[in-house]
Amino acid sequence: MAIKPVLKMGEPLLLQVAKPIERFDTDELHLLIRDMEDTMESLNGAGLAAPQIGVSLQVVIFGFDHNPRYPRAEEVPFTVLINPKLMPLSDDKEDDWEGCLSVPGMRGVVPRYKQLRYQGFDQYGKTIDRTVSGFHARVVQHECDHLQGILYPMRIQDFRQFGFTDVLFPGQAVMDD
């Protein structure tokens, strides 16, 4: 297992626009994805972007059957998404709490599109084209924001709904991503 340290807000690399992947199905890309999977699993994450482990490339992973950190969330299929493009299907947004492994110990209410279409590629260069809603749509938007140098606090509109997890949710097992 190759569990990598997760960069925290304040690290300059997290504010950069990540570079697109130009070659698929390479040993380097497969190793990066394995490291991302190991890191995400070790932290019970719902998703992880390559910049969070210090690699400024347009690669995100996300998905789970059941996640103890998100007990009410519906299942999201495990996905490797490379060079993603997101297209909202309407202007309808929904506010909900988010956290991030790069912003540990904090949560905030973030508006996200309710329904969107995303396109990209898997690690073998196979096309991905999905229309999603709910938690799946939220996770994709959160992870793809990392590829544009955006962390969720930058999307918060009401900072009265942002704070430390243990203060906002005393006694609850709410996690950070």
Side-chain angles (χ1 to χ4, degrees):
M1 261 168 77
I3 298 169
K4 301 292 184 179
V6 175
L7 300 183
K8 292 185 176 66
M9 189 167 70
E11 291 280 350
L13 187 136
L14 291 175
L15 301 176
Q16 296 176 9
V17 174
K19 295 180 177 102
I21 293 289
E22 295 178 3
R23 294 180 54 228
F24 297 91
D25 199 16
T26 65
D27 290 343
E28 296 82 13
L29 182 57
H30 293 300
L31 179 60
L32 170 63
I33 292 165
R34 266 195 309 275
D35 289 349
M36 291 173 68
E37 285 182 59
D38 291 346
T39 303
M40 184 177 88
E41 284 177 19
S42 76
L43 299 168
N44 286 320
L48 190 71
Q52 290 182 276
I53 61 166
V55 179
S56 190
L57 292 172
Q58 289 188 20
V59 179
V60 299
I61 63 171
F62 53 86
F64 55 88
D65 294 330
H66 172 75
N67 187 307
R69 297 173 66 210
Y70 299 97
R72 294 182 307 266
E74 71 268 13
E75 182 177 321
V76 175
F78 180 79
T79 303
V80 173
L81 183 61
I82 297 172
N83 300 344
K85 290 183 178 26
L86 278 54
M87 295 138 293
L89 297 179
S90 77
D91 291 333
D92 291 341
K93 291 186 177 181
E94 183 173 55
D95 290 342
D96 206 350
W97 291 97
E98 290 188 20
C100 182
L101 297 172
S102 293
V103 189
M106 302 193 84
R107 297 286 260 191
V109 172
V110 179
R112 297 281 186 190
Y113 291 104
K114 286 181 164 185
Q115 190 176 35
L116 63 93
R117 177 180 180 191
Y118 66 85
Q119 297 173 315
F121 303 92
D122 69 9
Q123 65 267 42
Y124 302 101
K126 182 179 175 209
T127 301
I128 295 172
D129 188 342
R130 293 183 185 150
T131 298
V132 297
S133 59
F135 192 74
H136 189 151
R138 179 168 293 277
V139 169
V140 173
Q141 291 170 81
H142 177 107
E143 297 308 331
C144 290
D145 267 358
H146 281 294
L147 306 181
Q148 300 303 314
I150 298 169
L151 296 166
Y152 85 88
M154 297 171 182
R155 296 221 183 259
I156 293 173
Q157 294 178 341
D158 181 353
F159 277 91
R160 291 173 296 181
Q161 295 182 303
F162 178 62
F164 290 96
T165 306
D166 60 346
V167 175
L168 291 166
F169 306 100
Q172 293 183 27
V174 177
M175 302 304 250
D176 290 326
D177 186 24

